[in-house]
Amino acid sequence: MSDKARKLFEALDLDADGTLTREEVITALHRKGPTLAAAGDLPFWALGDAEASSALFDAADQNGDAVLSLEEFTAVVDRRFGWG
């Protein structure tokens, strides 16, 4: 698990409960995405609309419980963003 993935997870965890919901991912990427990308914490090409954010959520939700754990999230973003 990369430090970048952990940092991104924490930035997207708006309610700081240790999990991400679909709405949290969509909302956080919309609100914080450009700032995170400018800081180097998210690839610019990863910025997308709600549909792209939802697709990222679906790819990461391996057990289908509608919430992402840190482990589920980092496994996908490390691979997708080349951080792993």
Side-chain angles (χ1 to χ4, degrees):
M1 170 185 321
S2 72
D3 288 339
K4 282 186 162 192
R6 180 185 301 277
K7 185 176 180 180
L8 181 58
F9 181 91
E10 290 169 358
L12 300 181
D13 187 9
L14 298 176
D15 62 6
D17 69 350
T19 61
L20 299 176
T21 64
R22 180 183 309 275
E23 189 61 35
E24 240 175 341
V25 170
I26 292 169
T27 300
L29 284 174
H30 176 73
R31 289 185 189 160
K32 297 180 172 186
T35 302
L36 291 167
D41 296 326
L42 178 71
F44 277 104
W45 60 262
L47 295 175
D49 58 11
E51 188 174 315
S53 298
S54 188
L56 174 66
F57 182 92
D58 288 337
D61 188 18
Q62 295 298 307
N63 64 5
D65 66 353
V67 294
L68 301 182
S69 66
L70 176 62
E71 292 76 19
E72 284 177 311
F73 180 80
T74 57
V76 168
V77 299
D78 276 344
R79 184 175 62 248
R80 187 170 285 187
F81 298 163
W83 293 343

